[in-house]
Each structure stands twice: as C-alpha cells, then as structure tokens.
Amino acid sequence: MTSAPGFWRAPFSAVTFREIGYVMLSLPVAIAGFVYAVTMFSLAAGLLVTVIGLPVLAAALAGARGLGAVERRRARVRLGLEVAGPRALDVPRGEGRWAGIRARLADGAGWRALLFQLVMFPWRVASFVLTVTFLVTGWVVALFPTYSWVFHRYVGWPGYRVYDFTSGGERHQYYITSPAQIAAVSLVGAVILFLTPKLVRALTGVDRAAVRSLLG
C-alpha cells in the first residue's frame, strides 16, 4: 500500500493527487455500478415468477464480478492497494446450461461484488462532496491575499464583505480590509489545505477496507 506523505508536503504530493483523482472518478463509477446493480437485480426479481429470472440474476452476478475487477484495478493504480481477486468460478462443463446458472447463483464473490456496488454508492457521493468542498475551500481561502484587492477596486467594497444586514434599525456589517485580517484568512485556508489530505486518506481508507472485504 502507498504510504501517506509527510504532513507538510502532503497537499502537494503525487500520492495525495492520486487519491483525490480516485475520489473524483469514484462518483461516476459508483453511479454506473449502482444503476447496474439495482436495474439487474430488480429485473431478475421481477422475472423470478418465470424461469427467465434465474439466468438474468446469474448474468447480473457475472457482470458484478467484472465490475469488481475494475474496482480492484482502480484501487491498485490510484491507492496502491494490491488485492487478489476471488478464485475463478468453477462452472461445470458438459452438464447443461442450468448447471452453469446454478454455479453462478451460488457464487459468493458475485454476490459480494453486487453488494459492493450498492453500499458504496452513498459513501462515494459523500466522499466526493467532502473532498471537493475541502479542496476548493482550502485553496480559495489560502490564496485570498492574491485577489483581495478585487473587491475594493471592482466591487466598490472596502474589502471582502463577510456580512451586511440591518436589524432593529441598526446596520451591521463586517469587511476584511486590514493586512492582519487578510493574513488570518489565508492562514485559515492553509489549515484547511493541510488537513485535506488527511481527510482524503480517511475517506479512501473506507474504500480500501471495502475492496479488501468484498472484492478479494
């Protein structure tokens, strides 16, 4: 497994950017996997009243195995996680098509891979939102001194306006104007920026555990 970079170089480390890339790509992958799992399982469940439902369910499990292989490869490339795939399914030969379908339906690896697509969808949505929020907020706030002049020159404010409202006939407003205030804002952004790799590592830690337990 790829080791975590040091605290001070983590925001600029290739390891961190690979993990962030993993989280970003995980959202569309999770959507596709969730749609596949729900659609195929629902179709199979609806067709179980006929004999067609069993082959459809077997096909769903076979496809889930393929999606699991894709996830293991993504974890290996982006997270440095090596997880051996499940052993090849022993499909009886010469015993007819239904023997192969029964083997597919009894495939624990296929069921775990299908479960992976279902349970990881909400987690990966949350991971995407948290990562983007921290990443964008950290960089935008940390770089505030480079564009703080824009509000005075082009917006007509004395500085960045934090709030401006009237209550009880009295106007309340607060602007970030002084160099000390600007530096403090930038420091807050830097703190968020340096904490972001820790957050991403924790979020991808759940993915690592799920890949190990459900796709190995």
Side-chain angles (χ1 to χ4, degrees), residues 17 87 165 202:
F17 283 104
R87 64 182 180 85
F165 65 94

Side-chain angles (χ1 to χ4, degrees), residues 49-164:
V49 294
T50 70
V51 74
I52 302 176
L54 295 178
V56 173
L57 184 55
L61 297 174
R65 260 188 175 251
L67 292 175
V70 172
E71 291 288 358
R72 287 193 302 274
R73 185 178 185 281
R74 291 182 60 238
R76 182 174 66 255
V77 173
R78 292 289 180 176
L79 303 181
L81 178 65
E82 289 286 349
V83 175
R87 64 182 180 85
L89 183 64
D90 185 16
V91 179
R93 298 184 181 278
E95 297 184 22
R97 182 173 300 177
W98 285 105
I101 292 176
R102 287 195 300 269
R104 288 287 181 191
L105 295 177
D107 179 24
W111 283 105
R112 291 194 302 273
L114 194 68
L115 178 63
F116 180 92
Q117 302 302 329
L118 295 174
V119 300
M120 292 304 291
F121 172 68
W123 173 254
R124 285 177 166 175
V125 171
S127 296
F128 180 89
V129 171
L130 285 171
T131 299
V132 170
T133 300
F134 270 71
L135 185 65
V136 173
T137 301
W139 280 107
V140 168
V141 177
L143 295 176
F144 180 68
T146 65
Y147 61 87
S148 59
W149 55 272
V150 170
F151 304 101
H152 172 72
R153 183 167 183 176
Y154 294 105
V155 183
W157 297 346
Y160 177 75
R161 184 165 66 189
V162 179
Y163 60 79
D164 186 353

Side-chain angles (χ1 to χ4, degrees), residues 138 141-142 183-193:
V141 177
V185 170
S186 182
L187 180 60
V188 171
V191 171
I192 297 174
L193 187 63

Side-chain angles (χ1 to χ4, degrees), residues 7-40:
F7 180 80
W8 297 110
R9 64 184 181 88
F12 319 102
S13 169
V15 172
T16 298
F17 283 104
R18 282 199 299 270
E19 291 182 345
I20 291 174
Y22 177 88
V23 173
M24 298 295 102
L25 186 58
S26 287
L27 180 61
V29 170
I31 293 173
F34 183 79
V35 170
Y36 170 84
V38 170
T39 301
M40 291 298 290

